[in-house]
Amino acid sequence: MLTKIIKRGHRKSPKPDSESQPPWNSMETLPLFRDVAVSERPSLFLRKLQVCSFHCDFSNSDKWAREIELKRQTLLEVHDFIESGSGKLTAPMQEDFIRMVSVNIFRCLPPASDLAELDDDEPYQEPSWPHLQIVYELLLRYIASSETDAKLAKRYIDHIFVLRLMELFDSEDPREREYLKTLLHRIYGKFMVHRPFIRKAMNNVFYRFIFETQKHCGIGELLEILGSIINGFALPMKEEHKLFLVRALIPLHKPNCFWAYHHQLAYCIIQFVDKDYHLAELVIRGLLKYWPVTNCQKEVLFLAELEEVLEATPASEFHRCMLPLFRQIGRCLTSPHFQVAQQALYLWNSEHIVNLIAQNRSVILPLIFDALERNTQGHWNQGIHDLTANVRKICQEMDSELFKECQEQYFKKETRCRELEEQRELTWKRIEAVAATAGAEDMVLVN
């Protein structure tokens, strides 16, 4: 069923012929609402909706100037009529209204390749925005109004409408995505019957982004909506929601453009852990699974998110994943990229994290001690030296005996490494000497 809906949702809207002259007789100038009798206003409203359903060609604005302005004025009149509440929208009026909205907003978005050359500081702007903005305002007013009966409106705001609305989140115009975010949030709140469908549709958007395209403009906005949805989850949490965390949210750490929506994703992840602390181990192991290997900027973001997760993690969940976690943190501590090492050392600024480490110091300190010593002896950045000294002091005050044992073990390993290195160099010298002797004998034999 969902496949059929998706296919219908991708139908192309008709495009005006930019080469032709505008059809001058297709848009008539209608009287204002205040100039007609109250009994005639519903029929006038429907006629104005027909005018607003007409497509204007913004690529040829000189030839279409009259039509563009006439439609804009008509849209404003419709907006004022609905805003004033002077006439209640009947079922036929609502049906025509949603049809007009659909004709305007549901369209083929320009391909990303056409927009690739735009400067990041100058985001793409939809040419028809002067009309689209008013249409979005009308739709928002309709959905948010207390006078709109959800039971009646769900006939028109149906699954197909919602799905096509979600397709528009890939618009490169940030103004449009902001309206879409507000609209979908309001629809989720008003139409309870659509909630499972909206969550499933979000799932599908994330799956396609993660595993197929890794290109989508509206992932951040969808995650903002999702953050509010997660906040409303009841406890005990449904298995459906836990699967959504595992199959969609955690894998969203994989794409290279993760930085573009990191803040919203981290908020959603923390919401899950705050709701159910038993999910902390699942989240931490998920972060370790997708931990970046060569992208240092991404690694800094992972460490910042990890700090927030650990802040919400109780000791009972922490000890289940502390071994792989602090092996990774140990690698981060000695990173040549100073921001990665700095962010890892910042973990000791959290009182809660320090308490977790203190409770499990016999396991954790041996895992990170070598990294701390190597930083002290050889890291190129002075700031890392200072932060490392502070962390060493915290660890020493935590358990001086254990710290001393780790130090002795470190010195033994260093001594053993030096001995192995000396033996290796001596072996190579012997090999070189044998090779040189053999080469000299060969030369004598040849002569």
Side-chain angles (χ1 to χ4, degrees):
M1 179 63 185
L2 187 60
T3 305
K4 292 181 181 178
I5 292 175
I6 290 173
K7 288 181 179 178
R8 292 177 67 183
H10 276 86
R11 288 181 300 180
K12 294 184 178 181
S13 303
K15 292 184 178 180
D17 184 2
S18 60
E19 298 299 324
S20 63
Q21 293 288 338
W24 300 104
N25 298 325
S26 60
M27 296 180 70
E28 57 178 323
T29 304
L30 298 173
L32 301 175
F33 283 106
R34 65 171 180 265
D35 295 336
V36 300
V38 175
S39 60
E40 297 178 9
R41 289 177 183 176
S43 61
L44 178 61
F45 178 80
L46 296 177
R47 290 168 63 194
K48 286 183 181 290
L49 290 180
Q50 291 177 358
V51 172
C52 295
S53 299
F54 182 79
H55 280 282
C56 295
D57 185 3
F58 278 82
S59 66
N60 201 350
S61 57
D62 291 337
K63 292 182 180 179
W64 288 74
R66 174 185 173 275
E67 281 71 21
I68 289 173
E69 181 58 23
L70 177 58
K71 180 177 176 179
R72 191 184 72 84
Q73 290 295 335
T74 307
L75 283 167
L76 289 173
E77 290 171 24
V78 170
H79 180 274
D80 292 342
F81 178 78
I82 295 176
E83 188 71 27
S84 65
S86 56
K88 186 176 181 181
L89 298 185
T90 62
M93 292 168 73
Q94 291 186 43
E95 184 176 6
D96 280 16
F97 171 76
I98 295 301
R99 185 180 295 114
M100 181 276 292
V101 169
S102 301
V103 166
N104 279 277
I105 67 174
F106 298 143
R107 64 204 189 280
C108 290
L109 297 174
S113 57
D114 292 350
L115 308 171
E117 297 180 359
L118 288 176
D119 194 319
D120 291 340
D121 296 332
E122 298 179 2
Y124 170 76
Q125 294 188 334
E126 171 61 45
S128 61
W129 186 247
H131 290 174
L132 276 179
Q133 183 177 16
I134 306 172
V135 175
Y136 277 124
E137 285 287 348
L138 283 166
L139 181 57
L140 184 58
R141 172 69 176 80
Y142 172 76
I143 293 171
S145 174
S146 57
E147 299 175 2
T148 301
D149 182 10
K151 291 182 179 179
L152 175 61
K154 72 179 182 181
R155 299 180 191 174
Y156 320 117
I157 309 293
D158 55 8
H159 284 180
I160 297 176
F161 185 93
V162 170
L163 198 64
R164 297 188 72 187
L165 198 69
M166 292 188 68
E167 290 175 358
L168 294 173
F169 273 88
D170 204 16
S171 168
E172 296 208 10
D173 193 324
R175 302 169 300 179
E176 182 168 17
R177 296 200 304 272
E178 193 65 26
Y179 270 104
L180 290 166
K181 179 181 71 176
T182 306
L183 281 167
L184 189 59
H185 197 185
R186 292 296 182 92
I187 291 172
Y188 189 90
K190 193 177 189 76
F191 302 93
M192 293 187 66
V193 68
H194 291 337
R195 291 182 181 182
F197 180 83
I198 291 174
R199 292 196 299 268
K200 189 173 183 180
M202 280 187 179
N203 253 335
N204 293 335
V205 172
F206 293 148
Y207 290 158
R208 189 177 180 203
F209 169 70
I210 296 164
F211 301 111
E212 293 182 22
T213 65
Q214 294 205 0
K215 292 180 181 179
H216 197 285
C217 298
I219 297 298
E221 285 79 6
L222 288 171
L223 286 171
E224 281 190 52
I225 300 169
L226 191 59
S228 299
I229 293 174
I230 296 168
N231 194 35
F233 284 167
L235 294 176
M237 197 172 291
K238 294 180 181 178
E239 193 64 25
E240 169 204 343
H241 303 327
K242 295 179 183 178
L243 287 174
F244 181 74
L245 170 67
V246 174
R247 295 178 179 177
L249 289 187
I250 291 177
L252 275 171
H253 291 83
K254 178 183 176 181
N256 291 329
C257 57
F258 160 79
W259 58 269
Y261 54 82
H262 165 256
H263 177 73
Q264 296 92 332
L265 177 59
Y267 178 78
C268 291
I269 295 289
I270 298 303
Q271 287 289 306
F272 267 102
V273 179
D274 284 340
K275 282 279 182 182
D276 186 355
Y277 65 83
H278 293 101
L279 296 172
E281 180 195 1
L282 191 66
V283 168
I284 290 171
R285 290 188 181 276
L287 287 173
L288 294 175
K289 178 181 178 180
Y290 294 102
W291 201 274
V293 178
T294 58
N295 190 330
C296 293
Q297 292 299 330
K298 192 173 177 182
E299 198 168 8
V300 172
L301 296 177
F302 267 60
L303 284 164
E305 183 177 346
L306 179 64
E307 182 177 355
E308 292 187 68
V309 173
L310 288 174
E311 286 279 3
T313 303
S316 59
E317 297 299 315
F318 175 76
H319 80 273
R320 297 181 183 178
C321 55
M322 61 184 178
L323 280 171
L325 173 62
F326 274 86
R327 287 194 187 103
Q328 182 60 57
I329 290 174
R331 288 190 284 270
C332 293
L333 288 172
T334 56
S335 172
H337 194 287
F338 83 96
Q339 288 180 321
V340 175
Q342 183 182 64
Q343 193 66 47
L345 289 163
Y346 280 164
L347 293 172
W348 275 262
N349 289 340
S350 166
E351 185 178 347
H352 178 70
I353 296 175
V354 170
N355 287 335
L356 291 175
I357 294 171
Q359 293 172 31
N360 301 275
R361 58 187 178 275
S362 60
V363 176
I364 294 175
L365 190 54
L367 290 175
I368 62 169
F369 189 86
D370 291 6
L372 294 175
E373 288 298 309
R374 284 197 291 273
N375 272 3
T376 302
Q377 295 173 14
H379 202 283
W380 65 271
N381 187 276
Q382 184 58 44
I384 300 303
H385 277 271
D386 298 338
L387 288 171
T388 302
N390 292 335
V391 171
R392 287 182 80 257
K393 183 179 179 182
I394 293 171
C395 293
Q396 190 170 12
E397 292 173 352
M398 204 177 282
D399 192 330
S400 58
E401 290 297 323
L402 178 61
F403 186 88
K404 187 176 180 181
E405 289 177 16
C406 291
Q407 204 167 34
E408 291 173 356
Q409 290 296 323
Y410 175 77
F411 289 146
K412 287 179 182 179
K413 282 188 283 187
E414 286 295 299
T415 302
R416 178 61 179 160
C417 286
R418 283 195 296 271
E419 290 174 354
L420 288 172
E421 184 64 27
E422 290 173 359
Q423 289 177 7
R424 191 178 295 111
E425 289 180 4
L426 183 61
T427 301
W428 276 111
K429 287 179 181 178
R430 289 173 181 171
I431 292 172
E432 289 171 356
V434 170
T437 303
E441 292 176 354
D442 290 342
M443 289 179 66
V444 171
L445 291 172
V446 169
N447 291 336

